[in-house]
Amino acid sequence: MPDYRERLWATPWMFIVTGLLIPASILVLAPISLPAGIITGVVLYLGVAGLLLLASPVVEVSGGELRAAKASIPLEFTGEAVGFAGTEASAERGRRLDVRAFLMIRGWVSDVVRVEIVDPKDPTPYWLISSRKPNELAAAINGSRRPESSAGNA
């Protein structure tokens, strides 16, 4: 069972905005065929909505590993994880961003978690991961790493 798991679903407003494909298709195809416009609009909407659902990445902390979409890293190579929200998250995604960082950010999720990478062979200084629950994700990363290191010291 994972210590933390979150799927970054697209927000409801994205599905509502995508719904505008239906009237747009009707408007374009109505002079040719109104039923073709309706069918095309519905098919386009379902296709885009399906892609939004299929493309929703998963962030997971499980089995001594951090997974963000298709990327993964053992927790032993991660340093401190810190969650950021609001203007701090915007700064992490903007003016404080290191171009060498690994990014798994989504425009519809404003908060982020910064996970330092301590592997000397890895040129990536940190991972920046979108999360709707940044403090919980950071706590899961930090907490999952600690029991193994404290067990070795006992």
Side-chain angles (χ1 to χ4, degrees):
M1 182 149 167
D3 297 330
Y4 181 87
R5 182 177 168 84
E6 175 183 14
R7 182 172 286 274
L8 301 177
W9 300 107
T11 56
W13 67 265
M14 291 190 70
F15 291 96
I16 294 168
V17 170
T18 302
L20 294 174
L21 286 169
I22 296 172
S25 297
I26 292 170
L27 184 64
V28 169
L29 294 175
I32 300 167
S33 169
L34 183 61
I38 294 170
I39 291 169
T40 302
V42 170
V43 168
L44 282 174
Y45 173 75
L46 292 175
V48 171
L51 286 174
L52 284 173
L53 293 173
L54 288 173
S56 299
V58 173
V59 177
E60 183 175 36
V61 178
S62 175
E65 191 172 63
L66 168 63
R67 284 184 285 286
K70 294 181 180 180
S72 65
I73 186 168
L75 290 173
E76 65 192 65
F77 296 126
T78 62
E80 183 182 7
V82 180
F84 296 94
T87 56
E88 288 295 311
S90 294
E92 287 296 320
R93 289 188 317 266
R95 68 180 186 273
R96 283 190 242 158
L97 183 65
D98 186 326
V99 296
R100 299 170 299 153
F102 169 77
L103 303 177
M104 203 292 296
I105 55 177
R106 295 297 180 260
W108 54 82
V109 181
S110 60
D111 299 341
V112 295
V113 174
R114 180 180 173 148
V115 183
E116 299 297 325
I117 305 300
V118 296
D119 183 0
K121 297 176 188 172
D122 193 340
T124 306
Y126 62 88
W127 283 21
L128 194 63
I129 304 169
S130 289
S131 176
R132 288 194 171 91
K133 302 172 188 173
N135 293 331
E136 290 179 31
L137 175 56
I141 294 166
N142 293 332
S144 293
R145 190 178 49 253
R146 287 197 178 101
E148 294 173 1
S149 61
S150 64
N153 295 335

